[in-house]
Amino acid sequence: MELEVYKISGDKTAKTVTLSDDIFGITPNDHAIWLDVKLILANQRQGTSKAKERSEVSGSTRKIKRQKGTGTARSGDINSPVMRGGGRVFGPRPRDYEFKLNKKLRTLARKSALTYKAQENNIMILEDFRFEEAKTKNFTALLDSLKLSDRKTLFVMPDTDKNLVLSSRNLKKAKVMRAEMLNTYDILNANNLLIAESSVPIIEEILGK
């Protein structure tokens, strides 16, 4: 696939970039995408939910009433789950939600996500640029010139540009990411991918191994 390279002003340059069909033109694997997104979201979970069970709630362990002869069900102490203020039955406990996937499967998932974006024509290649200062209005002007101000956009840069990151962090629909950190969830979560020209070889090198 061959794409034209744009300037940050929104004008086309005379250059083009050829995207590898082995990465941007494969047959997508939906199950691999589902597993990788599940992995990313699961690994972000804190797993700190905790409910007090019968042995942990505060209350007397005195038997409330005699075992027989009351005409009602037998009962123990007030910490019983059937009592108001008692412990919870099988409540959540702190746990680790992380799990692992094979490297080849995660690579396949990223390739599949990039292929979907390419098929939808939602990938744009930008000429390499730098912001001289960190100003949100500069980033907003960039989005306006590319007609992407109302769409969720992921910027893929070859390295960390502090001014670009600071300029975009107040915008809910924009995210800046290094090419080596590109993942399936962020690719699919964005409406459009803006890939810096120098980021393309990095992506193809990482996913082409």
Side-chain angles (χ1 to χ4, degrees):
M1 174 182 287
E2 191 173 67
L3 295 179
E4 296 175 315
V5 180
Y6 286 80
K7 299 178 181 179
I8 60 174
S9 62
D11 299 325
K12 295 180 182 179
T13 66
K15 298 181 290 184
T16 59
V17 169
T18 302
L19 301 180
S20 172
D21 289 336
D22 293 334
I23 295 173
F24 295 88
I26 68 169
T27 301
N29 188 312
D30 291 341
H31 187 61
I33 290 176
W34 179 80
L35 286 173
D36 197 22
V37 171
K38 180 182 177 182
L39 169 76
I40 294 167
L41 296 180
N43 289 351
Q44 291 177 355
R45 296 185 68 173
Q46 291 182 333
T48 54
S49 298
K50 176 69 174 73
K52 288 185 178 181
E53 298 185 355
R54 182 169 186 162
S55 62
E56 298 169 320
V57 295
S58 176
S60 173
T61 57
R62 177 182 66 86
K63 189 170 177 60
I64 299 172
K65 62 184 179 181
R66 59 197 176 98
Q67 183 85 346
K68 296 180 181 293
T70 63
T72 57
R74 59 190 175 181
S75 60
D77 57 51
I78 61 173
N79 300 327
S80 170
V82 299
M83 297 291 182
R84 181 176 180 180
R88 181 172 172 182
V89 181
F90 305 125
R93 295 183 176 183
R95 57 164 290 191
D96 185 4
Y97 289 92
E98 292 185 5
F99 65 96
K100 294 183 179 180
L101 291 178
N102 291 335
K103 186 176 180 181
K104 287 184 178 179
L105 190 144
R106 298 198 66 190
T107 299
L108 175 61
R110 279 176 285 176
K111 288 181 179 179
S112 299
L114 289 171
T115 297
Y116 274 127
K117 290 300 177 186
Q119 290 175 351
E120 296 164 358
N121 295 321
N122 287 333
I123 296 179
M124 182 180 289
I125 308 298
L126 281 182
E127 197 173 41
D128 291 334
F129 67 95
R130 291 279 180 178
F131 277 180
E132 298 298 329
E133 53 185 350
K135 285 193 175 181
T136 304
K137 68 177 183 180
N138 292 341
F139 197 92
T140 304
L142 169 60
L143 292 175
D144 289 339
S145 64
L146 297 173
K147 299 179 180 179
L148 295 174
S149 56
D150 59 340
R151 294 178 64 80
K152 192 179 290 186
T153 307
L154 177 64
F155 280 72
V156 184
M157 306 300 292
D159 52 22
T160 302
D161 184 347
K162 184 178 179 181
N163 288 337
L164 185 63
V165 173
L166 293 176
S167 299
S168 65
R169 66 179 178 177
N170 287 335
L171 302 176
K172 292 182 179 180
K173 292 187 176 182
K175 184 173 183 177
V176 177
M177 176 177 289
R178 297 201 316 271
E180 60 189 28
M181 301 299 292
L182 197 62
N183 63 75
T184 307
Y185 176 78
D186 284 316
I187 294 171
L188 296 176
N189 191 43
N191 298 124
N192 289 78
L193 294 185
L194 288 180
I195 304 177
E197 191 176 359
S198 300
S199 298
V200 176
I202 299 174
I203 296 172
E204 294 183 346
E205 180 183 0
I206 293 173
L207 299 183
K209 293 180 180 178

